[in-house]
Amino acid sequence: GVAGFPNGEVYRISDANPHVYIGRAYLKQIIPLSKEYEKAEDKANQLSGPTPTSYISIAAGKYSIMDFFDNNTYSHDPRTQFYNWALMGNGAWDYPANTRGYTYGLTFELVKPEWAVRFATVMVPKTANGYIMDSKISRSHSETLEFEKRYNLNGQKGTLRMISFLNNARMGSYKEALQWGISHNQAPQVDSTHVLGNTKFGLGLNIEQQINKYTGIFFRAGWNDGKNQTWAFTEIDRTISAGIALNGGLWKRNDDTFGFALIANGLSKDHKNYLKAGGYGFIIGDGTLNYRPEMISEIYYSFRLSNYPMWLSPDYQLILNPAYNNDRGPVHALGIRMHIEL
């Protein structure tokens, strides 16, 4: 019922029974290219210790491709920052993953003090929003390329990232699904037009800029061709988002954060016509689509409880035209989150 889903910690399956599940299991080899080293901090997916300022790294195994790509200091982690799917990453990037958000593959990085280049080739699901990955990797796979440039603007740190991706999978075509619906005198079904080797291509821009020691801003824009069905993430073909994050040091609470962001999501012409004719994807669908861009605003405040490593984060999101329909909404989404570090 909404493309920019309001909770980045929730994925599209559930089960009342407990399960043991391994999200990440990969090997990473770093090849130094310089004699200079700097200390890496201990954080998620990274061990503390000396790291060369210039290096090549190779990661192989199971991971989330968003561990390596489309990072942003102010808008990337739904556990501690913004909740919304279109703020934890580029909404128009149909990033390759199973229904829990993970994939298998190889990621290569060339990192220099002022820039970096990353490339990944990974598996995609066998079906849209599927759990099982497609083993026919010669015709079913995804490639992602990112360039990162770090700079200083008036003495303040900034980073620009440009990303491109190409997904190859057994996707259905929105235009062919419309023709199928007409010939069968029923609502179009994109799953009826699956062809192994169909593609989805997209581009993204990601900018973060520190304003001062307490304030940072960010901007993302994304586009994909929108010809074939959404396969792994969410039904967004165009997106723009921007926001601000304030450190609580401004009001003498150094471990607190305030964030505010705006999102505008849109669809391609073929995707729009498919939904208007009554088609469905695994996130949205509508038989009488009165199309308008999906508009979302989000505000949160993360505050630390006393001296304990525990944070509470109340959150509010206002969603206009959910699922791109002007006849729906507005929707008010309220949330609260607890984060504990051990």
Side-chain angles (χ1 to χ4, degrees), residues 156-221:
Q156 302 295 330
K157 294 180 180 180
T159 304
L160 180 147
R161 300 176 180 89
M162 294 179 290
I163 192 171
S164 62
F165 73 92
L166 179 65
N167 294 348
N168 290 265
R170 197 177 178 83
M171 307 172 188
S173 162
Y174 291 124
K175 183 177 290 187
E176 292 177 9
L178 276 170
Q179 297 171 348
W180 181 93
I182 293 171
S183 64
H184 288 77
N185 194 29
Q186 57 181 280
Q189 298 178 21
V190 72
D191 288 344
S192 69
T193 65
H194 282 168
V195 175
L196 188 62
N198 272 350
T199 65
K200 184 185 293 289
F201 172 73
L203 301 168
L205 175 67
N206 176 349
I207 301 173
E208 62 178 76
Q209 179 62 56
Q210 182 176 303
I211 303 302
N212 54 49
K213 63 184 294 187
Y214 300 114
T215 308
I217 58 176
F218 67 90
F219 172 83
R220 277 192 181 96

Side-chain angles (χ1 to χ4, degrees), residues 113-129:
E114 295 183 351
W115 56 271
V117 177
R118 300 178 181 89
F119 174 78
T121 179
V122 300
M123 299 176 71
V124 298
K126 195 171 184 178
T127 58
N129 190 39

Side-chain angles (χ1 to χ4, degrees), residues 26 28 30 39-49 51 55:
Y26 64 92
K28 185 175 182 179
I30 294 178
K39 183 179 179 181
E41 299 297 328
D42 186 14
K43 61 181 182 180
N45 306 316
Q46 178 177 291
L47 300 175
S48 63
T51 299
Y55 63 87

Side-chain angles (χ1 to χ4, degrees), residues 66 69 76 90 104 109 113 147 154 205 215 227 285 289:
M66 290 184 75
F69 292 85
H76 191 59
N90 194 311
Y104 300 85
E109 297 179 276
F147 173 75
N154 295 326
L205 175 67
T215 308
K227 296 178 181 179
L289 182 66

